[in-house]
Amino acid sequence: MSASAVFILDVKGKPLISRNYKGDVAMSKIEHFMPLLVQREEEGALAPLLSHGEVHFLWIKHSNLYLVATTSKNANASLVYSFLYKTIEVFCEYFKELEEESIRDNFVIVYELLDELMDFGFPQTTDSKILQEYITQQSNKLETGKSRVPPTVTNAVSWRSEGIKYKKNEVFIDVIESVNLLVNANGSVLLSEIVGTIKLKVFLSGMPELRLGLNDRVLFELTGRGKNKSVELEDVKFHQCVRLSRFDNDRTISFIPPDGDFELMSYRLSTQVKPLIWIESVIEKFSHSRVEIMVKAKGQFKKQSVANGVEIAVPVPSDADSPRFKTSVGSAKYVPERNVVIWSIKSFPGGKEYLMRAHFGLPSVEKEEVEGRPPIGVKFEIPYFTVSGIQVRYMKIIEKSGYQALPWVRYITQSGDYQLRTS
């Protein structure tokens, strides 16, 4: 079973709007939620699920709002939380920001959305692109003459409308990998992982079926190709359009896509990554009157590739002043509110090595407390490059009209949480 009712409360716990889906829990029970929340918070026993007698409150906080689902049965909690987060996503796509003001300003649309998102306690249409076809922000009421139920809701494919037409049929595939890395002061890698997403931009007519082929290690082993140039994907998550049973059977990624932009899948690889941009730093303090910092950055990726928009954030003492910089490339600036120097390099080719020197004055009075040195943080983006070696081997597009379509593939590697400790 799922939710009996859904409430949106302000920061003080006062209901702004609610929708009763099943009528098996009295709507007045919500009065117990806020006192229960405050009590649990004071006891240090706050939990995402609170109970009062036979009534359970499953809640999440977003901005200055609480979204609360009530149930009296043994509900599927993960389904309810997934629904609450999806509701926030839909509201954010409609109103840009979800807060108390956007609920008050769009009362009628919010109620209509709550009506369509769930039916008798079960999630129904949760794709905002489909909802926007018949719940518009221009009018608070649905236009007369239009069917209350759009064709997509009665389709087997609820995330795509029928009758879509394009003059030019194209699919753009972006494979984006973020590198999370933590290196300690002696240069050994403490944490290293790749978090990948495959995003699609689809401009295809009709109801096409797409099949995506990757150099997936499990697939290669199933087909007798061994481990040659393959990657082992972990924690794979798919968009609802992917046929999971087909993937489980033979690792085929088969789907009828939504129209436009969407994230097809995400994955993780806990492989040891060689730091793509390596940083060495030397900090010298002179008789508490000045500090000199020397930072060396080296691109440890192939020479044909170039990292764009590189930003190296170097921590400096909080009492530093009078900054002076010298860089072999790019520019450096002092950001006192963050106690860092940002060294910006627009274009950083692989194999290159660059230097930055910074000079700061320090107050003559020595600080009594010893400051811990935060790590150096690095941001970058490397186009046409993946760390994992993942490859889109093919994209087959099958549609009954038999048109030809062009798939375009782009690879991007970027920094995630990328830090190098200096002490």
Side-chain angles (χ1 to χ4, degrees):
M1 299 298 282
S2 192
S4 174
V6 169
F7 296 82
I8 300 176
L9 314 178
D10 67 14
V11 76
K12 292 178 181 173
K14 184 184 170 190
L16 297 170
I17 194 166
S18 60
R19 179 68 174 86
N20 191 351
Y21 292 108
K22 290 167 73 179
D24 59 344
V25 174
M27 297 296 275
S28 58
K29 296 286 184 185
I30 196 66
E31 292 168 10
H32 300 294
F33 170 73
M34 208 60 193
L36 205 57
L37 187 81
V38 172
Q39 182 194 335
R40 289 290 175 86
E41 210 163 12
E42 286 170 356
E43 292 170 356
L46 199 56
L49 192 150
L50 303 172
S51 299
H52 183 270
E54 290 186 359
V55 180
H56 308 294
F57 302 103
L58 295 88
W59 65 279
I60 56 176
K61 191 176 183 195
H62 179 87
S63 186
N64 56 357
L65 299 172
Y66 290 96
L67 273 78
V68 186
T70 57
T71 177
S72 62
K73 302 282 193 305
N74 186 17
N76 180 338
S78 60
L79 177 68
V80 176
Y81 286 118
S82 180
F83 172 78
L84 291 175
Y85 281 109
K86 193 70 190 174
T87 301
I88 287 172
E89 194 181 305
V90 168
F91 287 166
C92 287
E93 283 174 9
Y94 262 83
F95 314 128
K96 300 292 179 276
E97 286 179 34
L98 177 60
E99 50 190 28
E100 187 178 331
E101 201 175 323
S102 54
I103 297 292
R104 292 189 188 280
D105 290 349
N106 299 281
F107 209 76
V108 174
I109 296 171
V110 170
Y111 201 80
E112 284 181 355
L113 286 169
L114 287 173
D115 220 24
E116 295 297 334
L117 285 161
M118 188 174 269
D119 184 34
F120 197 67
F122 293 96
Q124 191 178 247
T125 308
T126 57
D127 191 303
S128 67
K129 281 182 184 165
I130 302 304
L131 289 163
Q132 281 166 8
E133 285 183 22
Y134 60 104
I135 296 179
T136 63
Q137 285 165 282
Q138 284 77 35
S139 164
N140 284 344
K141 290 181 181 172
L142 294 169
E143 291 172 38
T144 53
K146 277 195 176 181
S147 165
R148 178 67 176 148
V149 179
T152 43
V153 174
T154 52
N155 268 352
V157 183
S158 64
W159 54 86
R160 186 180 178 88
S161 304
E162 287 186 1
I164 294 170
K165 284 183 182 171
Y166 286 101
K167 281 183 181 177
K168 193 175 182 183
N169 291 291
E170 294 179 302
V171 181
F172 296 89
I173 307 163
D174 277 352
V175 180
I176 302 164
E177 291 192 338
S178 295
V179 179
N180 295 333
L181 188 82
L182 180 61
V183 179
N184 72 6
N186 66 16
S188 52
V189 176
L190 301 176
L191 179 145
S192 155
E193 69 170 2
I194 300 162
V195 178
T197 55
I198 296 181
K199 294 182 177 179
L200 266 62
K201 194 178 276 192
V202 175
F203 304 114
L204 296 175
S205 306
M207 277 284 175
E209 178 169 329
L210 274 56
R211 285 178 200 157
L212 180 73
L214 303 171
N215 56 336
D216 169 16
R217 183 162 299 172
V218 178
L219 173 66
F220 274 36
E221 285 172 356
L222 281 172
T223 52
R225 273 176 281 190
K227 294 182 180 181
N228 194 22
K229 285 194 173 177
S230 62
V231 293
E232 192 169 348
L233 304 175
E234 301 165 43
D235 291 347
V236 181
K237 294 184 182 72
F238 288 112
H239 185 275
Q240 70 189 81
C241 67
V242 175
R243 296 185 177 95
L244 295 179
S245 56
R246 183 89 193 265
F247 182 75
D248 290 340
N249 284 340
D250 59 12
R251 304 291 281 194
T252 300
I253 302 169
S254 169
F255 57 98
I256 294 171
D259 190 42
D261 296 301
F262 73 102
E263 187 177 295
L264 176 71
M265 63 180 282
S266 63
Y267 58 89
R268 187 177 61 82
L269 291 105
S270 51
T271 47
Q272 193 78 352
V273 180
K274 181 183 178 184
L276 297 170
I277 293 180
W278 181 253
I279 306 289
E280 288 176 35
S281 68
V282 178
I283 298 182
E284 284 187 89
K285 281 192 179 183
F286 296 90
S287 63
H288 320 302
S289 62
R290 71 184 203 274
V291 62
E292 286 187 5
I293 302 167
M294 190 197 77
V295 178
K296 185 163 74 175
K298 186 178 180 184
Q300 297 195 135
F301 46 94
K302 58 187 182 183
K303 288 178 182 176
Q304 306 94 294
S305 295
V306 176
N308 297 328
V310 177
E311 283 191 1
I312 300 163
V314 184
V316 297
S318 58
D319 54 345
D321 60 23
S322 317
R324 293 205 313 270
F325 306 110
K326 193 176 180 183
T327 60
S328 62
V329 72
S331 62
K333 68 172 182 179
Y334 177 39
V335 185
E337 61 271 21
R338 287 173 54 196
N339 297 321
V340 293
V341 170
I342 303 283
W343 179 17
S344 302
I345 304 165
K346 275 185 184 175
S347 180
F348 196 138
K352 290 285 184 184
E353 194 170 289
Y354 298 123
L355 280 174
M356 187 270 289
R357 292 179 187 274
H359 178 285
F360 286 90
L362 290 175
S364 54
V365 180
E366 187 181 355
K367 279 194 164 184
E368 285 183 24
E369 74 274 9
V370 178
E371 289 186 352
R373 272 226 318 283
I376 290 173
V378 186
K379 285 183 184 175
F380 59 84
E381 191 172 274
I382 309 174
Y384 319 112
F385 178 82
T386 59
V387 197
S388 67
I390 194 168
Q391 286 177 341
V392 173
R393 290 171 47 245
Y394 64 82
M395 166 69 88
K396 287 180 184 167
I397 301 163
I398 305 145
E399 215 280 329
K400 62 184 178 184
S401 65
Y403 60 70
Q404 293 297 305
L406 290 168
W408 303 91
V409 185
R410 184 171 62 165
Y411 298 95
I412 301 165
T413 291
Q414 59 192 22
S415 54
D417 188 5
Y418 192 106
Q419 297 186 337
L420 299 99
R421 287 180 180 165
T422 55
S423 60

